[in-house]
Amino acid sequence: MSSSTLTFTMPDDWHLHLRSGEMLKQVLPFTSQHFGRAIVMPNLPSPVVTVADAEVYRQEITACIPETDNFTPLMVLYLTEKTDPKDVKAGFLAGKVAAVKLYPAGATTHSDAGVKDLEKIYPVLTVMETIGMPFLVHGEVVDAEIDIFDREAVFIETKLMPIRERFPKLKIVFEHLTTKEGVDYVLSCDQDTAATITPHHLVINRNALLVGGLKPHYYCLPVAKREQHRLALVKAATSGDSQFFLGTDSAPHLAEAKESACGCAGIFNVANAISVVAQVFEQEKALDQLEKFLSLNGADFYQLPYNRQKMTLVRQHKPLSLPENIKIAEGEVLAFDPLLDLHWDVQNPLGMKIK
Ligand code: NCD
Ligand code: ZN
């Protein structure tokens, strides 16, 4: 390995939106070229609530994986107040579903079928704690009176802490962490609490969204916060601490749905996700911790073996060009512009550049 080449265990994406239909077909190859596995979020317009739903969705995904790629989708159940603990347990023990996701009702895209009263899900959490099944949390309160920039911190105090107290051994992933309060909370817990961090929250703060005009392509949920929070996320990710790992939260929407009077939340970042993360680790002089964040910590938390394939990154002197936007029949999906020069280029095992 030279200073301009990095070879390490193939990464996984622990938080991904693949959508369905034409959109799925177009976005999936970007994931299957860059990741061995991905935790596939269940917030389809008609959510993935039962193990049977997850099996149907898995088949739709599997049918779209390019033959050249070795990619495994890890299916997730969308938690509702009616979720059957027996279905969850049977699906997990049979290896059909890897986790359950909590969307507080109204918190984000397609969350209306989510949970209003957390006590209603305690029977499911009891079973999950016993079988060691990860509980994935969209950690924002939805109360109208709470400022959107405070919703994560308030969720930790009013929702997450009581759950943690009641279920001390439950494996919890705080998804797409965006605040210093979140980092501090995770660090105050033991190894049964972890968090995913997105590439975009490592490189943008709320100025990207709001300065010089409203920039809807930097709008996602949880919304990017102040610079001090971004710095806390960078410190956590680059520390190599086993409680933090990559979840891209790549969430494609048509450009016209984002460039609207009521624009959708979500950033499509998977085409340059690895390059963005590598750039941040280089800036922090922490490239030696990159493999942990991308490829090891998440697998350890989910108690899965590391990927056998390798990934190689080559440092190009000239900054990489931005990935092309995706064109589908209904319109275009814009690729994430990280607003910084990227130099780390992903190669395939034959040494060729990957799109
Ligand atoms: C996600 C989506 O569009 O499905 N959007 C987002 O901004 N992250 C939902 C989510 O993860 O909150
Ligand atoms: Zn998401």
Side-chain angles (χ1 to χ4, degrees):
M1 185 147 71
S2 76
S3 60
S4 59
T5 304
L6 289 169
T7 296
F8 53 89
T9 306
M10 187 78 170
D12 298 303
D13 183 351
W14 300 102
H15 183 130
L16 172 69
H17 300 270
L18 281 174
R19 316 301 191 202
S20 61
E22 172 71 5
M23 182 79 95
L24 165 66
K25 285 202 186 78
Q26 295 300 327
V27 300
L28 179 60
F30 292 94
T31 290
S32 60
Q33 284 167 357
H34 292 97
F35 297 95
R37 295 166 293 208
I39 279 283
V40 180
M41 287 294 147
N43 64 330
L44 298 180
S46 174
V48 178
V49 290
T50 64
V51 174
D53 296 340
E55 284 291 283
V56 172
Y57 188 28
R58 180 209 301 282
Q59 278 160 21
E60 189 191 357
I61 294 166
T62 309
C64 300
I65 302 173
E67 270 176 30
T68 45
D69 296 344
N70 187 355
F71 170 73
T72 306
L74 301 172
M75 308 312 294
V76 177
L77 294 177
Y78 182 117
L79 188 56
T80 75
E81 292 179 5
K82 299 209 171 85
T83 296
D84 177 3
K86 287 202 230 63
D87 188 46
V88 170
K89 181 175 177 181
F92 182 69
L93 296 180
K96 293 178 178 169
V97 285
V100 170
K101 175 78 188 278
L102 168 69
Y103 290 97
T108 189
T109 311
H110 302 316
S111 62
D112 297 348
V115 175
K116 291 198 178 84
D117 178 359
L118 284 175
E119 291 202 9
K120 296 234 169 73
I121 62 169
Y122 283 0
V124 178
L125 299 187
T126 303
V127 166
M128 291 172 65
E129 184 178 39
T130 314
I131 60 179
M133 183 178 195
F135 177 51
L136 317 185
V137 176
H138 183 113
E140 288 190 288
V141 291
V142 293
D143 321 37
E145 67 274 19
I146 306 290
D147 189 281
I148 189 157
F149 290 101
D150 298 333
R151 287 181 174 200
E152 182 170 298
V154 173
F155 182 91
I156 292 168
E157 287 206 1
T158 62
K159 311 284 179 190
L160 194 56
M161 285 179 166
I163 291 179
R164 175 41 89 212
E165 205 166 305
R166 188 160 180 131
F167 300 97
K169 288 274 138 223
L170 183 63
K171 289 178 83 73
I172 298 178
V173 185
F174 202 109
E175 297 293 336
H176 39 48
L177 205 60
T178 62
T179 58
K180 180 170 185 323
E181 288 88 340
V183 170
D184 291 344
Y185 175 71
V186 171
L187 288 173
S188 76
C189 297
D190 67 16
Q191 297 294 316
D192 287 326
T193 304
T196 53
I197 299 178
T198 77
H200 43 281
H201 289 109
L202 288 176
V203 292
I204 62 161
N205 61 32
R206 62 195 197 176
N207 282 5
L209 175 67
L210 297 169
V211 172
L214 182 62
K215 314 270 175 55
H217 294 287
Y218 294 99
Y219 178 55
C220 66
L221 286 170
V223 70
K225 310 289 192 299
R226 287 174 182 275
E227 178 66 0
Q228 72 195 67
H229 297 289
R230 185 188 74 83
L231 293 174
L233 297 170
V234 168
K235 193 168 168 214
T238 58
S239 71
D241 188 306
S242 59
Q243 286 167 287
F244 301 99
F245 37 87
L246 177 72
T248 64
D249 196 19
S250 186
H253 290 277
L254 292 176
E256 66 181 48
K258 290 188 67 63
E259 297 163 9
S260 143
C262 184
C264 294
I267 293 177
F268 173 66
N269 62 16
V270 77
N272 56 7
I274 301 286
S275 301
V276 169
V277 174
Q279 201 63 46
V280 171
F281 277 62
E282 181 191 85
Q283 277 170 8
E284 296 303 305
K285 301 194 174 28
L287 283 170
D288 56 333
Q289 305 296 335
L290 183 65
E291 183 181 41
K292 289 192 195 147
F293 182 69
L294 292 178
S295 319
L296 307 183
N297 292 348
D300 286 341
F301 184 86
Y302 277 82
Q303 296 178 296
L304 293 170
Y306 300 146
N307 291 313
R308 282 206 300 268
Q309 313 103 278
K310 299 278 178 203
M311 168 172 275
T312 296
L313 303 183
V314 177
R315 196 180 195 290
Q316 308 290 357
H317 182 65
K318 207 171 135 232
L320 309 183
S321 41
L322 269 183
E324 282 172 28
N325 299 331
I326 296 181
K327 294 190 177 45
I328 63 175
E330 301 93 55
E332 232 186 346
V333 178
L334 268 55
F336 176 56
D337 177 351
L339 305 173
L340 84 164
D341 285 348
L342 303 181
H343 293 272
W344 290 98
D345 212 357
V346 179
Q347 311 283 295
N348 77 11
L350 301 174
M352 282 147 62
K353 180 175 158 44
I354 285 184
K355 265 216 294 194

